[in-house]
Amino acid sequence: MRTSYLCIGPVAIALFCATPAFAQPAPTKTDADCYAQQAALEKDMRAARSRGQMLRRRQIEENLHALQARCEEAAKKETHEARVMRQKNTVMQLRIDLDRAEEDLRNLLAEKKK
C-alpha cells in the first residue's frame, strides 16, 4: 500500500504545479495564435484522457473554452476596429474630395472676376 501512496504523490505534485500554467493562458493577438493555442490544448486534453487524468483533462477543457471565448471576443473587436478604420478612411477621402471641389469653385469664381 505504501508504494501506491508514493506513486500518487509525484502525480499530485505534478498536477498541482501544472495547474497554474493552464489557469491563465496568455492573451492572443491573431487568429493563428488562437488556432495554435487551441490545438495545443486539445492535444494536451487527449493526452490527459489517454493517461486517465480526468481532473487534468477537465481543467484543460475549461481553459480551452475560456480561450475560445477570448478568441471570439478578439475577432469581434478586430472586426469593429476594421470597420472604424474603413469609416475613417472614407471620411478622409471625402474631405480630400471636398477640398478639391472647394478649390475648383474658387478657381471658377476667380475666372469670373477676370
Side-chain angles (χ1 to χ4, degrees):
M1 284 273 173
R2 281 192 176 247
T3 54
S4 64
Y5 290 123
L6 293 175
C7 293
I8 293 173
V11 173
I13 291 171
L15 282 174
F16 180 73
C17 292
T19 302
F22 291 108
Q24 297 179 3
T28 60
K29 294 184 179 183
T30 64
D31 289 338
D33 291 339
C34 283
Y35 292 128
Q37 289 181 1
Q38 287 179 23
L41 286 175
E42 288 169 355
K43 181 181 174 185
D44 289 345
M45 206 164 64
R46 284 190 302 272
R49 183 180 297 131
S50 70
R51 293 183 187 125
Q53 299 170 335
M54 300 315 285
L55 176 61
R56 182 166 184 259
R57 186 205 57 81
R58 195 173 318 125
Q59 290 170 339
I60 295 170
E61 185 177 23
E62 289 172 3
N63 291 328
L64 177 63
H65 291 302
L67 174 67
Q68 289 170 337
R70 281 194 309 276
C71 288
E72 288 174 11
E73 183 73 26
K76 288 178 186 176
K77 185 176 180 183
E78 288 175 342
T79 303
H80 176 72
E81 289 174 358
R83 289 191 319 234
V84 168
M85 288 302 294
R86 225 175 299 122
Q87 190 63 31
K88 284 182 178 181
N89 288 336
T90 301
V91 168
M92 190 168 46
Q93 186 61 44
L94 289 171
R95 285 183 179 150
I96 290 170
D97 292 343
L98 179 62
D99 289 341
R100 286 182 187 155
E102 286 176 341
E103 182 65 29
D104 290 342
L105 178 62
R106 281 192 294 273
N107 289 339
L108 287 173
L109 291 173
E111 286 178 8
K112 184 179 179 183
K113 289 183 182 178
K114 290 183 182 179

